Amino acid sequence: PRRSAGRATPAPRYAEVQWVGVAAAPEEGKPRIDDLVSAVSDRLADAELARRNRLRAWKSRLQAMADRYDRDAEGAGRRARVEALREQRSEILRQRRLTKSERTIALRSQTQQARTELAYFARNRCASVRSELQEDAAGLSRGKLTEFEGEAKARLKDVITEVDDGTTTRLAEMAQTLDLTVDPPAATPLPTVDLTSPPLKSRKLESRLMMLLGAGFGLGVALTLSRLLADLTPGLTIAGAVACAAIGLALAVWVVGMRGLLRDRALLDRWAGEATGLVQSAAEQHVATRVLAAESALTAALSEQDEGESTRVAEQVSVIDTELREHSVVGARAAALRGQEMPTVQAALTAVRVELGEPEPAEDDDETRPAVGT
């Protein structure tokens, strides 16, 4: 008889098996198989053999049916699939939340960076133009004073245009970095700065004071030169006096002219600084306005993108939820079918075992496991 794997005693169905001693090796001696032939012949001649075989066939079928009900109800493969679907669903939702947070943070970061860079660009460009204008104002001649105002206003207008162009380029780069498609913004009018003309006309009181100081300086120079010439050449007193008077008058005119030119240069220098400050304020306000408008447009585009992504994720989650519900329904049906059919199958198995004279198996006994050994 064969023994079950891992057991020390024969299986219950082998309890009534007849044990006989045989020898079928001619090289070791005469063969002795008469007892085996007799035992097999007796078994084959048993009238209950066909009935027992039918009962055992029924037992195998019933056991296979019971095992199938158990497998369908327990559904090990189905549980693994359900766990995989749940993990996939959680991962999809986690990635969705993570992507949304990353995009929002990226938009905020890019906006702050663009605002800072453009404001710095506007300040730096205005500071550069201020230095250039003040340097030009320090070297102006009297004939170029009237032309300085027009040239300065044109250069300050060019600064606003440059800042606007730089803002457009930087905002386009920001949208490309964020991978967002936005409609081109409407044409924004450039800010206009009302710059007053520099006060180059001298005031009467100041002009009189300058003339008085120049006349005093010229008179002093003339008197000094006349006394010097009188000591050196006593015969040229009248001619020396006239020459000294001419020199004094020329010096007085030169001093008054130079004082007026220096005053005009100082006024133009101060006016250039004030005008550049107004242009800088207007440029920074223009940059802030355009960045705010771009942020609103990019936020709207990001919302549309998030909505499309949410729709796609919702479709994926819906497919997973549908499959999960199907597995739940299949499991419930299998459990219900086992609960409905298993008592009948177990009763039939019990009846077959009783007919075969076999005891009820233990809960951990597995009679379907193939036996090994002899």
Side-chain angles (χ1 to χ4, degrees), residues 66 69-71 73-74 332-343:
Y69 285 145
D70 288 336
R71 287 194 304 270
E74 293 176 358
R333 288 177 179 175
L337 184 61
R338 182 179 66 173
Q340 180 180 357
E341 300 293 338
M342 187 62 77

Side-chain angles (χ1 to χ4, degrees), residues 222 225-226 229 236-250:
L225 290 176
S226 62
L229 290 176
L236 300 177
T237 303
I238 298 176
V242 173
C244 290
I247 294 173
L249 180 61

Side-chain angles (χ1 to χ4, degrees), residues 75-336:
R78 186 171 58 251
R79 286 200 303 270
R81 177 59 179 168
V82 167
E83 290 296 329
L85 288 173
R86 289 176 178 172
E87 291 180 1
Q88 183 181 1
R89 185 179 187 276
S90 300
E91 180 65 18
I92 290 174
L93 294 177
R94 189 185 71 83
Q95 287 293 337
R96 174 72 188 95
R97 292 191 298 269
L98 182 62
T99 302
K100 184 176 181 180
S101 300
E102 288 178 350
R103 288 175 178 172
T104 303
I105 293 173
L107 175 59
R108 186 181 300 113
S109 175
Q110 287 291 329
T111 303
Q112 293 294 338
Q113 184 177 357
R115 182 180 290 111
T116 302
E117 290 179 357
L118 292 174
Y120 174 78
F121 173 70
R123 288 194 299 270
N124 189 35
R125 191 70 188 91
C126 290
S128 176
V129 172
R130 179 190 297 114
S131 299
E132 294 175 0
L133 292 177
Q134 290 176 345
E135 183 178 356
D136 292 343
L140 286 175
S141 62
R142 182 165 295 279
K144 297 289 185 178
L145 291 177
T146 56
E147 301 176 359
F148 180 79
E149 179 183 355
E151 294 177 355
K153 289 182 178 181
R155 293 169 69 177
L156 291 175
K157 185 177 180 180
D158 292 339
V159 168
I160 295 179
T161 303
E162 292 177 7
V163 171
D164 183 72
D165 294 340
T167 302
T168 302
T169 303
R170 182 64 181 86
L171 294 180
E173 293 176 354
M174 183 174 68
Q176 185 177 3
T177 302
L178 296 173
D179 195 17
L180 294 175
T181 303
V182 295
D183 296 332
T188 304
L190 296 179
T192 57
V193 182
D194 187 12
L195 299 177
T196 59
S197 299
L200 295 179
K201 294 182 178 180
S202 302
R203 297 179 182 179
K204 293 181 179 181
L205 183 60
E206 185 176 358
S207 299
R208 292 173 182 175
L209 179 60
M210 290 172 59
M211 292 176 64
L212 180 61
L213 293 176
F217 177 77
L219 179 60
V221 171
L223 292 176
T224 301
L225 290 176
S226 62
R227 293 186 63 180
L228 181 60
L229 290 176
D231 294 337
L232 294 177
T233 55
L236 300 177
T237 303
I238 298 176
V242 173
C244 290
I247 294 173
L249 180 61
L251 287 176
V253 173
W254 180 82
V255 168
V256 172
M258 288 301 299
R259 179 65 182 86
L261 179 60
L262 292 176
R263 173 186 173 278
D264 291 338
R265 287 178 178 179
L267 289 175
L268 290 176
D269 182 274
R270 185 166 60 250
W271 176 84
E274 294 175 354
T276 307
L278 294 176
V279 170
Q280 178 178 340
S281 299
E284 291 180 349
Q285 183 178 1
H286 182 65
V287 165
T289 302
R290 291 205 57 187
V291 171
L292 182 61
E295 183 179 7
S296 301
L298 292 174
T299 302
L302 182 61
S303 300
E304 294 179 358
Q305 190 179 54
D306 288 339
E307 184 177 356
E309 188 70 16
S310 298
T311 302
R312 186 182 63 83
V313 170
E315 292 176 354
Q316 294 179 348
V317 172
S318 177
V319 172
I320 294 175
D321 290 341
T322 300
E323 187 173 352
L324 287 174
R325 285 193 297 269
E326 291 176 355
H327 284 299
S328 178
V329 170
V330 171
R333 288 177 179 175

Side-chain angles (χ1 to χ4, degrees), residues 5-27:
R7 298 190 179 185
T9 58
R13 63 181 179 177
Y14 300 130
E16 298 180 1
V17 173
Q18 183 179 356
W19 290 77
V20 294
V22 298
E27 67 274 7

